[in-house]
């Protein structure tokens, strides 16, 4: 049985749609949007390369291999349920992780002070049949923003392909960072750019913002210094079929801007700049700004800059706006703030903020 055909079902039948394992998260998102995803049951493996995703009825708008019947008990709904079944005490449950994310075939979890991390990992694999590895996430550090992770359950394969909003991101979670909390912001950038715009992504990484913008027909100059992330950036541009709209450079973005974009075979200014780095507004110590000054110098008249910052809650959004205005004044230009957003919490008392500003 294929396509949207549905088997006859009795009142006790539980249905699931079978999809290729790499498509699992996209399919779950689409089934949730259609209102037919059954959250009371678990995703389970279905053969070597597929998963069965529980549904309340056969979907009309989500492609799938077949519809099958799943017979079994309703799943345990929460991680706490799973750990309680494994004999965890109330005190131990209080220390259990409160957040995690499925990235491709990997579950990335903030393990904190939870006891018996291996049991946490195995429980998460039970909850997420589309995943085969669980990583405990540590801090991001170093010039290249490198992650610190530890395999706590599963096969231990840290390389995966993550799919969201029609974009595929190939990455190795042991080598490069990926922030699940930035999902909406990545999608928003794809919706914000206009076809034919020239965009500079100063901290491109594996293509977090570059790929959705290029997929929306913008021409993107993507600069990334980390050699591992840069290799994934090149591969991801090809994976998504946007290599003709991405000009990628492995370099420090300050060096690229100091040379001038025309030195790299590009026009000397761009219509839009994305500064997806928490310290994007840092001072250079001489009254100027390390990244804002060269960015504004590369921005066309009436161009737009998207500035990310790790901002103390008490200074959001005052501090990043003041810094953007000061940098614009240094360049003899003015600022119109178009939008401000709090993307997520960065740490206690600190928010990941974004300011969109037109530089006149």
């Amino acid at each position: 049985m294929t396509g949207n055909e549905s088997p006859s079902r009795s009142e006790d039948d539980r249905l699931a749609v079978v999809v290729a394992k790499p498509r699992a998260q996209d399919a779950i998102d689409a089934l949730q949007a259609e209102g037919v995803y059954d959250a009371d049951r678990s995703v389970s493996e279905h053969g070597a390369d597929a998963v069965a995703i529980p549904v309340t009825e056969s979907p009309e708008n989500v492609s799938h291999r077949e519809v099958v019947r799943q017979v079994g008990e309703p799943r345990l709904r929460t991680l706490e349920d799973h750990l309680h079944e494994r004999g965890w005490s109330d005190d131990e449950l209080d220390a259990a992780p409160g957040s995690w994310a499925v990235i491709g075939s990997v579950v990335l979890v903030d393990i904190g002070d939870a006891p018996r991390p291996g049991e946490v990992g195995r429980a998460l694999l039970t909850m997420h049949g589309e995943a085969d590895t669980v990583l405990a996430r540590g801090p991001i550090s170093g010039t290249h923003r490198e992650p610190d992770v530890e395999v706590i359950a599963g096969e231990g394969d840290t390389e995966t392909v993550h799919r969201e909003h029609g974009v595929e991101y190939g990455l190795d979670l042991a080598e490069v960072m990926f922030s699940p909390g930035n999902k909406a912001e990545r999608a928003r950038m794809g919706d914000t750019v206009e076809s034919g715009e020239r965009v500079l992504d100063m901290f491109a990484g594996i293509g977090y913002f570059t790929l959705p913008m290029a997929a929306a027909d913008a021409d993107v100059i993507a600069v990334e210094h980390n050699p591992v992330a840069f290799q994934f950036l090149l591969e991801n541009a090809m994976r998504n079929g946007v290599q003709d709209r991405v000009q990628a450079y492995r370099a420090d973005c300050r060096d690229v801007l100091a040379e001038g974009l025309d030195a790299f075979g590009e026009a000397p200014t761009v219509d839009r700049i994305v500064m997806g780095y928490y310290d994007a507004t840092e001072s250079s110590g001489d009254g100027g700004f390390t990244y804002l000054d060269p960015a504004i110098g590369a921005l066309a008249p009436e161009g737009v800059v998207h500035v990310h910052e790790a901002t103390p809650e008490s200074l959001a959004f005052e501090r990043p706006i003041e810094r953007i205005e000061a940098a614009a004044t240094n360049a003899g230009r003015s600022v119109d703030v178009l939008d401000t957003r709090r993307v997520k919490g960065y740490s206690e008392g600190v928010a990941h903020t974004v300011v969109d500003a037109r530089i006149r």
Side-chain angles (χ1 to χ4, degrees):
M1 185 176 303
T2 59
N4 289 328
E5 299 176 48
S6 175
S8 60
R9 55 178 300 200
S10 69
E11 184 175 328
D12 293 328
D13 287 337
R14 298 185 176 94
L15 302 182
V17 293
V18 176
V19 303
K21 198 168 188 178
R23 286 193 58 240
Q25 192 57 53
D26 275 351
I28 291 171
D29 291 345
L31 291 166
Q32 287 175 327
E34 190 172 325
V36 298
Y37 177 65
D38 187 351
D40 289 336
R41 290 181 287 136
S42 295
V43 177
S44 59
E45 291 190 352
H46 191 87
D49 66 344
V51 293
I53 303 173
V55 293
T56 55
E57 60 184 80
S58 184
E60 297 182 359
N61 302 313
V62 181
S63 63
H64 50 274
R65 293 182 181 178
E66 59 180 330
V67 177
V68 297
R69 293 188 179 95
Q70 275 189 331
V71 179
E73 296 298 319
R75 73 170 174 184
L76 298 170
R77 293 294 302 272
T78 67
L79 178 60
E80 183 175 313
D81 291 335
H82 284 269
L83 296 177
H84 185 270
E85 187 180 63
R86 286 168 165 80
W88 282 43
S89 68
D90 289 344
D91 287 343
E92 289 174 324
L93 290 173
D94 286 342
S99 66
W100 61 88
V102 181
I103 300 174
S105 58
V106 177
V107 180
L108 195 61
V109 59
D110 295 315
I111 199 69
D113 297 323
R116 302 193 294 283
E119 288 189 8
V120 174
R122 290 188 289 275
L124 289 170
L125 287 178
T126 300
M127 294 172 66
H128 299 284
E130 68 272 32
D132 56 31
T133 296
V134 181
L135 299 179
R137 174 169 53 187
I140 304 295
S141 61
T143 304
H144 289 158
R145 297 175 289 168
E146 296 165 342
D148 178 17
V149 299
E150 178 185 358
V151 177
I152 60 173
E155 296 179 5
D157 187 359
T158 59
E159 191 164 335
T160 189
V161 177
H162 177 67
R163 295 167 175 83
E164 62 181 41
H165 303 294
V167 176
E168 295 187 356
Y169 298 90
L171 72 159
D172 186 337
L173 287 161
E175 299 286 344
V176 298
M177 63 171 287
F178 191 90
S179 178
N182 292 355
K183 180 177 181 178
E185 187 68 13
R186 288 188 288 269
R188 194 188 73 85
M189 290 311 304
D191 294 335
T192 297
V193 297
E194 297 181 5
S195 177
E197 272 195 341
R198 298 189 67 257
V199 182
L200 171 63
D201 188 350
M202 289 176 63
F203 309 94
I206 64 168
Y208 314 107
F209 301 119
T210 289
L211 297 174
M213 292 190 297
D217 292 327
D219 294 316
V220 185
I221 303 167
V223 185
E224 175 52 43
H225 196 249
N226 182 333
V228 177
F230 181 76
Q231 186 60 42
F232 278 112
L233 171 65
L234 298 178
E235 293 175 6
N236 286 333
M238 297 183 66
R239 183 190 302 276
N240 288 276
V242 297
Q243 63 271 26
D244 292 342
R245 294 193 291 279
V246 176
Q247 296 296 318
Y249 300 103
R250 194 181 87 75
D252 187 309
C253 59
R254 292 168 294 184
D255 295 336
V256 172
L257 292 174
E259 289 286 334
L261 296 178
D262 48 356
F264 291 84
E266 309 289 345
T269 61
V270 292
D271 304 307
R272 189 181 301 271
I273 295 179
V274 181
M275 303 175 70
Y277 176 48
Y278 289 135
D279 293 325
T281 65
E282 72 178 17
S283 169
S284 60
D286 57 1
F289 297 89
T290 304
Y291 300 106
L292 280 171
D293 288 346
I296 289 175
L299 199 61
E302 307 299 317
V304 174
V305 63
H306 305 272
V307 181
H308 293 238
E309 186 189 82
T311 311
E313 294 279 8
S314 60
L315 298 177
F317 294 88
E318 178 183 353
R319 189 177 77 177
I321 291 173
E322 285 182 349
R323 291 177 174 180
I324 296 168
E325 289 175 339
T329 299
N330 290 344
R333 301 175 72 167
S334 61
V335 174
D336 288 341
V337 175
L338 304 177
D339 194 12
T340 59
R341 288 175 309 290
R342 186 188 186 282
V343 178
K344 63 181 184 298
Y346 175 70
S347 60
E348 186 175 356
V350 179
H352 172 186
T353 63
V354 183
V355 175
D356 300 342
R358 187 178 305 281
I359 311 299
R360 298 193 179 279

